[in-house]
């Protein structure tokens, strides 16, 4: 009986070993297959990522180009606007230089009272100094002081630009 038991044990161990080896081989094949699927999945996703990244970079380049074009148009328009404003101020200053100082002062007082001191200041900067002096004599004290203050601030700013 001992021999029988030993034979059963040997056969059982051998069969168990074959069964275990078979299941290990099966699991190994499943793991290899799963690894292939994961590699395939990651390769696909990486290709999709690269494609999307390239699309975004292309779109970003287009946006930068359009932004630069818009900025260039804006800058050109600003230059044109300054030229137009400068032309208007120049023509206006010619008119005021030809006016009687008292009439010009009345108009300036009205404009300043209406909140358009910057417009008046731009015109005064283009007028002859002697004319400005005569006009300011006829302006109200309040408005003449506002203009004087702006002229002082302007000369301080102007002096700081010369130093650069």
């Amino acid at each position: 009986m001992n021999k029988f038991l030993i034979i059963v044990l040997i056969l059982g161990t051998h069969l168990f070993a074959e069964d275990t080896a078979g299941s290990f081989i099966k699991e190994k094949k499943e793991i290899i297959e799963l690894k292939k699927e994961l590699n395939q999945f990651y390769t696909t996703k990486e290709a999709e990522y690269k494609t999307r990244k390239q699309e975004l970079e292309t779109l970003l380049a287009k946006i930068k180009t359009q932004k630069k074009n818009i900025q260039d148009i804006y800058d050109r328009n600003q230059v044109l606007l300054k030229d137009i404003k400068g032309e208007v101020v120049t023509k206006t200053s010619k008119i005021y230089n030809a006016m009687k100082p008292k009439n010009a002062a009345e108009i300036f007082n009205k404009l300043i009272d209406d909140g358009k001191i910057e417009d008046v200041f731009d015109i005064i900067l283009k007028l002859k100094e002697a004319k400005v002096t005569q006009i300011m004599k006829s302006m109200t004290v309040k408005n003449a002081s506002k203009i004087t203050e702006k002229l002082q601030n302007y000369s301080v700013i102007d002096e700081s630009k010369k130093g650069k």
Side-chain angles (χ1 to χ4, degrees):
M1 173 116 178
N2 280 342
K3 283 185 177 182
F4 179 72
L5 207 49
I6 292 177
I7 292 176
V8 170
L9 278 175
I10 290 175
L11 281 176
T13 307
H14 182 64
L15 287 175
F16 177 74
E18 281 183 20
D19 188 38
T20 304
S23 72
F24 283 139
I25 291 173
K26 184 179 175 185
E27 285 180 17
K28 186 176 179 180
K29 285 181 182 179
E30 288 174 359
I31 290 172
I32 290 172
E33 192 62 35
L34 183 60
K35 183 180 175 186
K36 283 180 186 177
E37 288 176 15
L38 284 173
N39 283 339
Q40 211 172 23
F41 172 79
Y42 285 121
T43 303
T44 304
K45 290 300 175 187
E46 186 175 0
E48 287 176 11
Y49 166 76
K50 286 179 180 178
T51 303
R52 296 287 184 254
K53 183 179 176 185
Q54 184 61 41
E55 289 172 357
L56 288 174
E57 287 172 351
T58 303
L59 186 59
L60 184 60
K62 282 182 183 178
I63 289 171
K64 284 182 180 179
T65 302
Q66 288 177 348
K67 183 178 176 183
K68 185 183 180 319
N69 291 341
I70 290 169
Q71 186 64 45
D72 290 345
I73 291 169
Y74 176 80
D75 292 343
R76 284 193 308 254
N77 286 343
Q78 287 299 105
V79 168
L80 288 172
L81 187 60
K82 284 181 183 178
D83 289 345
I84 291 169
K85 284 182 178 179
E87 188 66 30
V88 168
V89 169
T90 301
K91 286 183 179 185
T92 306
S93 60
K94 285 180 183 178
I95 293 169
Y96 281 100
N97 271 323
M99 261 186 204
K100 291 184 179 182
K102 187 174 183 175
N103 292 341
E106 287 177 20
I107 295 169
F108 285 167
N109 281 327
K110 174 73 171 120
L111 287 171
I112 292 171
D113 291 342
D114 289 345
K116 297 182 180 178
I117 191 167
E118 292 298 326
D119 295 341
V120 172
F121 185 68
D122 289 342
I123 295 168
I124 284 181
L125 288 176
K126 298 279 185 176
L127 295 177
K128 297 174 187 170
E129 282 185 45
K131 193 68 163 186
V132 172
T133 304
Q134 293 172 353
I135 291 171
M136 288 185 68
K137 283 181 186 177
S138 299
M139 290 176 69
T140 65
V141 174
K142 181 176 111 180
N143 289 340
S145 68
K146 286 180 183 178
I147 293 296
T148 302
E149 185 179 332
K150 287 193 80 55
L151 285 169
Q152 286 174 336
N153 291 338
Y154 180 76
S155 64
V156 169
I157 292 169
D158 196 36
E159 287 297 320
S160 69
K161 287 182 183 177
K162 287 180 183 177
K164 290 183 180 177

